[in-house]
Amino acid sequence: MFSEVKIAILDLYDGYPNEGMRCIKMLIGDFLAQDTVKGDFDVFDVRGDGALPKIEDYDIFISTGGPGSPVVQGFQWEKRFFNFFDSLLAHNKNHEDKKHMLLICHSFQLMVQHFNFGLVTKRMSTSFGVMSVHQTEDAKDEILFEGLEDPFWAVDSRDYQVIQPDEEKLKEHNAHILALEKIRPHIPLERAIMGIRLTDEVVGFQFHPEADAEGMQRYFLQADKKMAVVNEHGEDKYEDMILQLNDPDKILLTESVIIPKFLNNSLKNISIPTE
C-alpha cells in the first residue's frame, strides 16, 4: 500500500544563495523514498514571483527562512502570504482532510507578527552558529522533539528575535511556546522564543531544523563567513563551531529528528487515498 502525498515548499529566500533549500529538498526526498510513500513536491517563489500553492492541491507545506528584515512592511507578497496562511487555518477548521505546515525562521517571525504573539525586534548582535535550544514545560508532549535531549542543539542564524510573548494572544489561539534560546546568565536580556505550536497541524521554529553538517561546514569555510564569526566571537569559538557540526548528538541529531518526524506524523494524520 502506497500513500500518494503532495508537498509544497514556500520559498522565502528571494533568490538569495542559501543551504536551506538544498537541505529541505534532501529531507523531503528521503521521506518520499520510503517504501510505503510516493509523491512529489513543488517549490513556490513567494517573494520573487508572488507564487503560492493552492491549498486544496497539497497536503504538507514547509515555509522557509529568508534574508533581510522579517518586520512586516506591507509588501504585496506579505499580504498574499498571510491570506494563504489564514486560508489554510480556515480549511483545517472546516474540513476533515487537514493540511500540515512547518514554518522556519523568517516564516516563523512572520507568523508571530500576524497573530501578535510577541515582539519581533533586531538583536544587539547576530546570533549565528550551533546553539543550545531549551524546551519549555509545554513541550513535554511535543512529538517533534521526541528523541531529542533538553536542551538540544540547532543551527541559529538571525539578526532578529521574538521576545515579550503576549500570553493573552497565545491563549486566545490555544498556541504554546515550545522552546527558548540558550540561557545567558551573564547577560541581562530576555531569552528569545525559538518555537511555537499554533495548532495540531501547524508549528514554527526560529532555528533551522533542516541544517546539516555538510552545508554548514561549506558555509563556515567561506573566507568572509569565517572572518565574520572570528571577528564577532573569536578564533576559538569558530574552531569549536566546526567541531560541533559533526557531533552526532548535536545538529546531526536535530536534522534527523524534527523535519522527518513532521513529515511522517503529517502523513499519519491526513486523508490521502491509498492504492
Side-chain angles (χ1 to χ4, degrees), residues 134-146:
H134 296 251
Q135 301 181 37
T136 66
E137 183 64 23
D138 282 334
K140 64 181 182 298
D141 296 321
E142 175 53 53
I143 190 170
L144 301 189
F145 290 170
E146 289 180 1

Side-chain angles (χ1 to χ4, degrees), residues 185-202:
H186 57 292
I187 300 178
L189 295 174
E190 183 179 354
R191 293 165 68 197
I193 298 167
M194 300 300 282
I196 293 176
R197 179 164 286 284
L198 181 59
T199 69
D200 288 343
E201 299 82 26
V202 179

Side-chain angles (χ1 to χ4, degrees), residues 60-188:
I60 300 172
F61 304 85
I62 296 180
S63 191
T64 75
S69 170
V71 176
V72 175
Q73 300 175 59
F75 294 131
Q76 191 61 37
W77 73 263
E78 293 171 333
K79 296 175 183 177
R80 288 173 53 81
F81 179 82
F82 291 138
N83 287 338
F84 167 85
F85 195 40
D86 288 339
S87 296
L88 183 145
L89 294 174
H91 174 97
N92 284 348
K93 285 184 178 179
N94 297 305
H95 296 82
E96 291 186 6
D97 63 320
K98 307 300 184 186
K99 308 296 182 176
H100 291 247
M101 187 171 186
L102 172 68
L103 302 105
I104 299 170
C105 198
H106 199 109
S107 297
F108 169 75
Q109 292 167 336
L110 291 175
M111 181 264 285
V112 166
Q113 292 171 89
H114 188 51
F115 294 106
N116 296 310
F117 286 155
L119 176 66
V120 175
T121 182
K122 193 171 178 64
R123 289 174 53 86
M124 292 181 64
S125 62
T126 299
S127 178
F128 184 76
V130 179
M131 307 290 183
S132 59
V133 179
H134 296 251
Q135 301 181 37
T136 66
E137 183 64 23
D138 282 334
K140 64 181 182 298
D141 296 321
E142 175 53 53
I143 190 170
L144 301 189
F145 290 170
E146 289 180 1
L148 296 177
E149 298 293 330
D150 184 16
F152 60 90
W153 296 82
V155 168
D156 200 17
S157 177
R158 58 193 168 94
D159 291 314
Y160 290 78
Q161 62 185 349
V162 177
I163 56 173
Q164 299 179 25
D166 188 323
E167 300 296 344
E168 288 301 317
K169 287 290 184 182
L170 289 162
K171 185 176 180 181
E172 177 185 330
H173 291 275
N174 197 29
H176 302 285
I177 296 173
L178 298 177
L180 298 173
E181 70 177 340
K182 65 181 181 180
I183 298 171
R184 301 173 294 172
H186 57 292
I187 300 178

